[in-house]
Amino acid sequence: MIECRNVCFDATDFEGEKFPLLRDVSFTIGEGEKIVLFGINGSGKSTLLKLLNGLEYPKSGEILYGGALMDKRFLKANKGTFRRENVLQMQDPNSMLFNTSVYEEIAFGPRSFGFDDVDERVRHFAELFGVTKLLERAPYRLSGGEKQRVLLASLLAVEPKFLMMDEPTAHLDPPTTGWLVELLQEMKITTLLCTHNLSLGRELGTRALVLGPDHTLHYDGPVEALFERLEILDEARLLHRHRHTHEGKEHTHAHLHDWA
Ligand SMILES: Nc1ncnc2c1ncn2[C@@H]1O[C@H](COP(=O)(O)OP(=O)(O)OP(=O)(O)O)[C@@H](O)[C@H]1O
Ligand SMILES: [Mg+2]
C-alpha cells in the first residue's frame, strides 16, 4: 500500500542550521494492516505522517504509494483519488476544522469528491460518532473531544483506504477512548496511528514501529513482541521512571504502565 525507502527529512533553525527530523527510515505497510507508531515528543511521528500524506516531501529517499513514486507530479496527477484514499487526522483538530457548521464539516469531503449521497453520509457518520446533536453547531465552539469526533466523522465519511491518526485519543475521555478503540479494531481499512501511550497502542495495532529520539527507526515488528523487548522501549525513552516504595525501601525503576 505504502512504502518508505531510506527516507530522510530535515528542518532548518533560525540560524540556518539544518537538523534531522527523520533519518534513513524504511518500512512497508501492506493493505489491511493496523500499525502503531510509537515515539517520544519530538521524535518525528507527526512529520512522518505528513510525509506519508503527501504534505511534505523527503529530503532524500522515496515514498511509494501503490507502487508509484509519491512525488509532486504523482500527487498532481492523482490529486482526487489520493486525497480520498489517504487521509490524515492531524494532532491538533483546530488545524483541520474550517467549516461554518458540523454538518458542513462532515459534508465537505463527500461533496468535494462528488458522492451522490452526501446527506445520508453526513447523518450516518454523525450518528456513528455521536455528534448528531451538534450538526448545526459551529465547530470552533465545540469541546476538544467533540472536535476530535467531528474530525474523525469527516475523514471517515469519504471511506478512505488508508487512515492515519495522530494521537487520536488525546482529547477523549475514558469511555470515548474505549469506544474508539473498539471502532478502530472493527474497521477493515489500513490504519497507522501514532501515540506515546503504550497501553493504548497495544490495543490499536498488531504491528509496531518505534521512532527513537535520534529520529531513526528502532523497531518494526509485532506489537506484543515489542513489549518483551524492554531495552528497545528504554532506548526509545518510552518507559518512565519514578520513585516508589517496595517493602519499606524506596527505589526507582522503569515502568511500562501509562500515566493516563
Ligand atoms: N517544519 C519544521 N521546521 C522546524 N522544526 C520542525 C518542523 N516540523 C517539526 N519540527 C521539529 O521536529 C521535531 C519533530 O516534530 P514532530 O512534530 O514530528 O514530533 P512528534 O514525534 O510528533 O512529537 P509529539 O509527540 O510532541 O507530537 C520537533 O522537535 C519539532 O519541533
Ligand atoms: Mg506529533
Side-chain angles (χ1 to χ4, degrees):
M1 163 134 257
I2 200 158
E3 181 180 355
C4 279
R5 287 189 187 156
N6 309 102
V7 167
C8 295
F9 189 77
D10 287 345
T12 310
D13 67 16
F14 277 124
E15 276 149 17
E17 292 292 319
K18 285 201 161 84
F19 59 97
L21 303 188
L22 294 171
R23 301 162 100 151
D24 201 22
V25 173
S26 298
F27 59 84
T28 304
I29 298 178
E31 216 141 301
E33 281 201 274
K34 296 225 180 298
I35 301 189
V36 55
L37 170 63
F38 291 113
I40 56 160
N41 294 147
S43 55
K45 303 181 298 297
S46 298
T47 304
L48 181 58
L49 297 196
K50 286 178 204 157
L51 284 157
L52 295 172
N53 191 234
L55 300 176
E56 305 271 14
Y57 298 94
K59 180 201 157 211
S60 63
E62 42 197 36
I63 301 177
L64 293 111
Y65 185 71
L69 180 66
M70 225 173 90
D71 56 6
K72 284 185 188 162
R73 193 189 306 190
F74 169 86
L75 288 172
K76 207 169 170 190
N78 299 281
K79 205 165 89 187
T81 337
F82 182 83
R83 292 281 159 229
R84 205 185 68 221
E85 289 182 7
N86 179 321
V87 301
L88 167 62
Q89 171 247 309
M90 289 191 184
Q91 191 160 6
D92 175 10
N94 292 311
S95 59
M96 297 195 76
L97 299 170
F98 58 95
N99 283 280
T100 49
S101 69
V102 168
Y103 185 99
E104 289 302 314
E105 198 64 60
I106 305 175
F108 183 83
R111 206 177 272 147
S112 312
F113 295 122
F115 286 86
D116 54 14
D117 55 349
V118 174
D119 189 60
E120 285 97 310
R121 269 172 196 269
V122 172
R123 295 191 188 281
H124 171 75
F125 285 94
E127 197 61 35
L128 186 63
F129 283 86
V131 295
T132 302
K133 284 198 180 126
L134 307 175
L135 281 172
E136 301 312 319
R137 301 263 300 272
Y140 75 89
R141 287 200 166 134
L142 303 178
S143 77
E146 289 166 346
K147 284 180 186 165
Q148 193 78 313
R149 284 188 274 143
V150 170
L151 183 54
L152 286 170
S154 321
L155 293 174
L156 287 172
V158 299
E159 292 182 48
K161 279 191 177 166
F162 182 40
L163 172 67
M164 287 184 278
M165 285 167 289
D166 200 340
E167 307 283 356
T169 61
H171 302 276
L172 303 181
D173 56 26
T176 315
T177 299
W179 166 83
L180 183 67
V181 167
E182 277 183 14
L183 182 84
L184 293 174
Q185 283 169 342
E186 284 161 16
M187 270 184 351
K188 298 278 177 276
I189 58 177
T190 314
T191 53
L192 171 61
L193 173 148
C194 77
T195 181
H196 33 71
N197 185 316
L198 294 175
S199 47
L200 180 73
R202 208 169 179 169
E203 297 290 326
L204 286 172
T206 48
R207 177 175 154 208
L209 299 172
V210 176
L211 267 179
D214 59 354
H215 312 286
T216 67
L217 204 58
H218 286 217
Y219 180 85
D220 178 358
V223 171
E224 281 312 312
L226 173 64
F227 287 86
E228 304 294 317
R229 306 279 306 274
L230 291 190
E231 78 284 3
I232 292 180
L233 292 171
D234 212 12
E235 241 173 53
R237 295 206 221 119
L238 284 160
L239 302 179
H240 64 270
R241 292 168 190 277
H242 62 88
R243 247 179 284 142
H244 61 161
T245 309
H246 272 319
E247 295 170 356
K249 278 191 188 158
E250 197 181 72
H251 71 140
T252 305
H253 65 91
H255 292 259
L256 256 181
H257 70 81
D258 295 300
W259 292 104

